[in-house]
Amino acid sequence: MINEEKVILMTRMASYEEHEGRKDISITHYFRGDYIGFQVLKSVIAATFSFFALFAVYIFYNFEELMQDIYNMDLLAFGKSVIIRYLCMVGIYGVVSYVVFASKYSRARKSLKHYHDNLRKLSGMYDK
Amino acid sequence: MINDEDDHMTTLLVAKQYMKNFINKYEIYLKPLMKLVLALTALMMINGKIGYMHKLDNTSIVLILALMCSFMPTNFIIFVAAAFTVLHFYALSLECAAITLILFLVMFLLYFRFSPKDTVVVVLLPICFVLKIPYVIPLAMGLVGTPASVVSVGCGVAVSYLINYVADSATALSGMEAEDITTRLRFVIDGLLNNKEMVLTIAAFAITIMVVYLVRRLSIDHAWTIAMIAGAIVDVMVLLVGDLMFDTKVSMVGIFVGTIFSLLIVKILEFFVFHLDYSRVEKVQFEDDEYYYYVKAVPKITVATPARTVKRINTPRKRSGSGQSRR
């Protein structure tokens, strides 16, 4: 006999596995710290690239002034201000991505826990 | 008794139900079709507005790419549209293409990592700008999105204004001497950054999204309707006040008419699209010790069936009787 309740449960689980489940499982394969750390690292790299792109635009934009002043400007102070801006940008972006990915991880964890509960319920049905 | 308003409502509800069934039934075909239409519109508008590279301004190329977009993920459309824009700008001037490329790069790198869902706004907004109803987007995003949609909408506005600006000053750009890279670069960047209208539009849209989002989440009756009307009013107010403050010379009539049209469109969208739950028909396969299961799970339709009113043409003679208790 086909157990209707079991089929319903299995259908729900199979559809979860096919859609959100796949992503959730791949996220929770990592430890929390590893996952978030990896994502933040990616964010830092992305921010670095963007910063250099924007910096290049800035240099080209002010090319003539920079060329004129290059001998009498305080290169050290200029470099310092650039580095401070870079750190600010990367820092803020890193914090934002930490928050985003931490919440993503905990959400994935939660729905996966629900899935495991269902799994346990299903195996309970077999024992009956 | 039956009144006209009820009748209209019933017709609308039936239409909605029909729509829902239709979407549920043909979702597999509708989704690629929508993507195809979106990609086709976007690419043709890009070609029409900034078709400087003649090789790309070709119907067969557009068709092939649009077909490709129809079965790729939605974000592929953005990618193709961005590539198209950059290539067209490259034919116009290298500096222009470089700046656009950097703008897209920063956008992709910094923002689209987080919310790949509402990125399609970046394609939709320039299209809506051409149709003169950009106000649809912030209202709709406030209703279905999150406050983070502010960034996508901001990116979309920036892209629209960049395309517009380059299209308007194409002759000036191509007239400049070839060696003068810095001048051309400055010309494009200044045009983009000193565009007060763009900054004002971004600010107005951001405030609109926040207002719509906050109001729609209130637990009051008709929260969605109130949210969109409040959003529209705030949008118009910010644009008008900004116009007074920065003297941006926006068209008042355009704003009013565009906003009213946008409000109507969003209302229609709300009725037919946003309230549909996208629980779809699922086909799954699994097995246990005894059987293989091939299950097709069809979501139950939960919209209230239209209330029927019985119109009485003859007033019944007999007042009593068990058969008379019709509604």
Side-chain angles (χ1 to χ4, degrees):
Chain A
M1 262 304 276
I2 291 176
N3 181 345
E4 217 174 288
E5 203 184 335
K6 203 169 88 182
V7 173
I8 291 173
L9 194 61
M10 285 199 283
T11 308
R12 290 243 161 96
M13 285 163 67
S15 101
Y16 169 75
E17 263 172 48
E18 216 163 89
H19 300 294
E20 308 92 22
R22 200 178 290 176
K23 235 186 245 165
D24 290 351
I25 290 169
S26 73
I27 288 176
T28 44
H29 266 165
Y30 296 91
F31 287 116
R32 185 172 179 275
D34 286 356
Y35 173 72
I36 297 172
F38 187 52
Q39 295 300 332
V40 170
L41 183 70
K42 275 206 255 178
S43 297
V44 167
I45 292 170
T48 307
F49 265 108
S50 323
F51 182 82
F52 277 113
L54 293 177
F55 185 63
V57 172
Y58 173 79
I59 293 286
F60 273 111
Y61 184 79
N62 292 316
F63 197 67
E64 278 165 27
E65 283 93 345
L66 284 175
M67 281 299 109
Q68 273 168 13
D69 300 346
I70 194 129
Y71 293 113
N72 42 20
M73 76 194 260
D74 189 354
L75 277 179
L76 207 65
F78 179 70
K80 226 183 201 170
S81 78
V82 169
I83 287 173
I84 286 173
R85 268 171 215 177
Y86 168 72
L87 287 179
C88 275
M89 178 168 156
V90 169
I92 292 170
Y93 190 66
V95 169
V96 169
S97 55
Y98 177 86
V99 171
V100 169
F101 287 108
S103 77
K104 219 178 203 172
Y105 188 86
S106 64
R107 229 180 300 141
R109 198 56 182 277
K110 218 172 168 181
S111 56
L112 212 63
K113 190 171 169 286
H114 187 66
Y115 174 72
H116 283 302
D117 286 346
N118 280 341
L119 216 56
R120 221 165 292 137
K121 213 156 117 193
L122 192 68
S123 76
M125 282 179 186
Y126 279 100
D127 294 341
K128 258 185 238 169
Chain B
M1 277 288 285
I2 191 161
N3 69 33
D4 270 1
E5 207 172 304
D6 267 1
D7 204 23
H8 286 314
M9 205 57 209
T10 316
T11 326
L12 276 179
L13 277 174
V14 170
K16 184 175 173 176
Q17 188 69 58
Y18 176 76
M19 188 104 168
K20 191 172 173 174
N21 290 343
F22 185 79
I23 290 177
N24 266 337
K25 201 167 166 190
Y26 297 106
E27 203 211 353
I28 306 172
Y29 313 106
L30 278 176
K31 236 178 168 178
L33 191 73
M34 290 298 286
K35 280 188 211 166
L36 179 74
V37 170
L38 180 63
L40 214 57
T41 322
L43 293 184
M44 272 167 29
M45 276 187 178
I46 290 174
N47 272 347
K49 192 137 184 135
I50 47 168
Y52 305 118
M53 190 176 263
H54 296 295
K55 279 180 196 159
L56 288 182
D57 198 355
N58 182 330
T59 323
S60 49
I61 288 181
V62 170
L63 265 178
I64 290 169
L65 280 173
L67 276 174
M68 254 168 82
C69 288
S70 69
F71 58 83
M72 295 292 271
T74 318
N75 286 351
F76 189 69
I77 301 176
I78 303 170
F79 191 72
V80 169
F84 245 61
T85 314
V86 171
L87 283 174
H88 277 311
F89 283 172
Y90 176 72
L92 182 69
S93 87
L94 176 66
E95 301 76 25
C96 216
I99 287 165
T100 317
L101 187 67
I102 285 173
L103 186 75
F104 281 131
L105 200 73
V106 170
M107 226 153 70
F108 284 128
L109 281 177
L110 289 190
Y111 179 56
F112 291 171
R113 288 199 54 211
F114 291 137
S115 82
K117 271 182 200 152
D118 54 14
T119 42
V120 75
V121 168
V122 179
V123 178
L124 281 176
L125 244 175
I127 295 175
C128 287
F129 261 105
V130 174
L131 300 175
K132 309 263 184 244
I133 43 164
Y135 317 105
V136 168
I137 300 289
L139 294 178
M141 286 319 285
L143 289 178
V144 292
T146 56
S149 315
V150 170
V151 187
S152 326
V153 172
C155 292
V157 175
V159 170
S160 316
Y161 275 95
L162 176 70
I163 290 175
N164 254 339
Y165 176 71
V166 175
D168 288 345
S169 48
T171 35
L173 266 171
S174 51
M176 286 179 193
E177 280 175 44
E179 304 89 59
D180 222 354
I181 295 176
T182 329
T183 322
R184 286 209 261 188
L185 201 80
R186 282 194 162 195
F187 182 74
V188 177
I189 293 178
D190 283 343
L192 195 62
L193 290 186
N194 296 339
N195 194 339
K196 282 178 194 157
E197 198 185 324
M198 179 182 87
V199 179
L200 177 65
T201 313
I202 291 177
F205 283 5
I207 295 170
T208 310
I209 289 175
M210 298 306 269
V211 168
V212 175
Y213 177 78
L214 288 177
V215 176
R216 113 159 123 103
R217 285 173 59 101
L218 294 179
S219 57
I220 48 174
D221 292 346
H222 310 295
W224 277 51
T225 313
I226 297 173
M228 54 181 101
I229 293 172
I233 293 172
V234 167
D235 193 22
V236 172
M237 295 285 278
V238 173
L239 284 175
L240 291 187
V241 171
D243 180 42
L244 287 180
M245 277 168 66
F246 302 113
D247 198 22
T248 47
K249 295 196 183 64
V250 282
S251 141
M252 297 237 186
V253 183
I255 291 178
F256 275 115
V257 176
T259 306
I260 289 167
F261 262 103
S262 304
L263 211 53
L264 278 177
I265 291 170
V266 175
K267 189 70 197 161
I268 293 169
L269 277 180
E270 183 215 352
F271 192 79
F272 284 111
V273 185
F274 294 166
H275 274 179
L276 288 183
D277 49 352
Y278 286 105
S279 55
R280 58 195 81 186
V281 178
E282 299 258 15
K283 282 181 186 155
V284 284
Q285 300 175 19
F286 46 89
E287 58 181 300
D288 63 3
D289 299 341
E290 296 144 45
Y291 298 99
Y292 291 104
Y293 299 88
Y294 297 94
V295 181
K296 182 178 180 185
V298 183
K300 280 187 182 167
I301 291 155
T302 46
V303 166
T305 44
R308 284 186 205 291
T309 7
V310 175
K311 194 173 182 179
R312 286 186 196 170
I313 301 166
N314 301 321
T315 37
R317 302 244 167 91
K318 276 187 253 173
R319 287 259 136 201
S320 61
S322 59
Q324 297 292 329
S325 58
R326 276 187 265 161
R327 272 199 301 135

